[in-house]
Amino acid sequence: SAVISQKPSRDICQRGTSLTIQCQVDSQVTMMFWYRQQPGQSLTLIATANQGSEATYESGFVIDKFPISRPNLTFSTLTVSNMSPEDSSIYLCSVVRGQGGNEQYFGPGTRLTVT
Amino acid sequence: GESVGLHLPTLSVQEGDNSIINCAYSNSASDYFIWYKQESGKGPQFIIDIRSNMDKRQGQRVTVLLNKTVKHLSLQIAATQPGDSAVYFCAEDDSGGSNYKLTFGKGTLLTVNP
C-alpha cells in the first residue's frame, strides 16, 4: 500500500477565503489525484495532478477554482479558492500503486466547513 | 464516465453472518473494479480488486464476484465482525489502464449487530 498524509485534517473557513490542502506520499508515485466527497455522498474526481505540468480537470471543475500544484513525485497541493458553503466537503488525495499497477490508495482526507 | 450504482443503500447483519454487498455498473468498457471500505472520519481503504478477465477473486474473509453479462459486482464478507461496520463503495475504471480514473458508486452502509 502507500502511506499518505494530508494537512490540515480539518478546517473551518469563512466564505470568500481560500484554503490550500497538502498531500504527502511516503515514496515517489506517478499518478496522483484529488477527489471531493460531499456530505453523505460518494467520491467525485476533481483532477489528475501531473508532475511538472498543469493538472487535468474533470468536467465541472476548473483551475481558477481548484488550482493544483505537483512540484515533485511525492507531494501535491489543492487550493479551494473563493470558498462558499457549497464547497463544504471532504477533500481526498489518492495515488496509484500496487503489484498490478492499478491499485489506488487514499489519504485520510481534509474535512472542510465553509461558514 | 457512466454511472455506477448500488442496489441497497443500507445493510444490517448479525455478527458472524456473511454479508453480501452489490453493485451495478453500466459501462461495459470498464475493465477494472475496486471495493473500498470507508469508516467514519477516514479515507477509503482499499479492500480488493478484480480485472474484467476474471469472475472471482478471494482475499482474507472477502470475495469479489464479477458478472460481466449483467454488469454486476458483489463483495462477500465472511463471518462479519463489528469492525466491518462501515460504508462500502465499488469503483470502476473504464480507461483500459491508461489514466486510472475511478468512477465511484453511491455506497452501502453496513451495520454489524453484536
Side-chain angles (χ1 to χ4, degrees), chain A residues 82-103:
Chain A
N82 188 25
M83 288 183 284
S84 66
E86 291 71 34
D87 295 320
S88 297
S89 292
I90 300 172
Y91 292 86
L92 301 121
C93 66
S94 71
V95 303
V96 173
R97 180 184 291 176
Q99 292 181 340
N102 285 68
E103 296 174 19

Side-chain angles (χ1 to χ4, degrees), chain B:
Chain B
E2 297 185 46
S3 64
V4 178
L6 290 168
H7 295 307
L8 297 172
T10 61
L11 178 64
S12 183
V13 300
Q14 290 298 121
E15 181 178 359
D17 287 352
N18 296 332
S19 302
I20 299 176
I21 301 171
N22 297 302
C23 178
Y25 65 95
S26 56
N27 190 345
S28 57
S30 293
D31 58 2
Y32 179 65
F33 304 86
I34 307 177
W35 279 101
Y36 287 94
K37 171 187 180 184
Q38 187 175 30
E39 297 174 276
S40 180
K42 297 183 179 180
Q45 175 188 352
F46 180 99
I47 301 174
I48 192 168
D49 60 353
I50 188 168
R51 295 188 179 277
S52 59
N53 61 354
M54 303 173 67
D55 53 19
K56 181 179 180 179
R57 189 160 188 233
Q58 288 185 294
Q60 188 176 13
R61 280 201 308 118
V62 295
T63 300
V64 55
L65 299 177
L66 176 62
N67 186 330
K68 294 180 288 294
T69 302
V70 295
K71 299 176 190 171
H72 185 267
L73 192 69
S74 69
L75 177 70
Q76 300 179 1
I77 304 173
T80 313
Q81 303 168 359
D84 295 327
S85 295
V87 177
Y88 289 81
F89 293 97
C90 62
E92 62 176 331
D93 178 354
D94 62 2
S95 68
S98 63
N99 61 29
Y100 306 102
K101 295 180 183 179
L102 295 179
T103 300
F104 278 77
K106 293 181 174 60
T108 293
L109 173 62
L110 174 66
T111 301
V112 182
N113 302 309

Side-chain angles (χ1 to χ4, degrees), chain A residues 49-79:
Chain A
N50 301 309
Q51 195 267 329
S53 64
E54 196 171 279
T56 306
Y57 290 84
E58 297 302 302
S59 175
F61 298 96
V62 295
I63 187 172
D64 289 346
K65 177 67 175 177
F66 298 102
I68 289 171
S69 78
R70 178 91 190 271
N72 57 54
L73 294 176
T74 64
F75 186 79
S76 178
T77 67
L78 168 75
T79 299

Side-chain angles (χ1 to χ4, degrees), chain A residues 5-112:
Chain A
S5 61
Q6 287 186 231
K7 291 181 181 179
S9 58
R10 59 176 62 230
D11 207 342
I12 301 173
C13 301
Q14 292 188 343
R15 70 172 66 208
T17 63
S18 298
L19 176 72
T20 296
I21 301 167
Q22 299 179 7
C23 178
Q24 179 74 53
V25 191
D26 63 340
S27 62
Q28 294 184 347
V29 292
T30 304
M31 307 295 293
M32 289 183 75
F33 303 92
W34 286 98
Y35 286 80
R36 181 175 73 181
Q37 186 175 25
Q38 294 178 301
Q41 302 294 316
S42 186
L43 284 76
T44 301
L45 179 63
I46 298 173
T48 303
N50 301 309
Q51 195 267 329
S53 64
E54 196 171 279
T56 306
Y57 290 84
E58 297 302 302
S59 175
F61 298 96
V62 295
I63 187 172
D64 289 346
K65 177 67 175 177
F66 298 102
I68 289 171
S69 78
R70 178 91 190 271
N72 57 54
L73 294 176
T74 64
F75 186 79
S76 178
T77 67
L78 168 75
T79 299
V80 185
S81 303
N82 188 25
M83 288 183 284
S84 66
E86 291 71 34
D87 295 320
S88 297
S89 292
I90 300 172
Y91 292 86
L92 301 121
C93 66
S94 71
V95 303
V96 173
R97 180 184 291 176
Q99 292 181 340
N102 285 68
E103 296 174 19
Q104 196 163 140
Y105 297 93
F106 285 82
T110 295
R111 184 179 295 272
L112 171 62

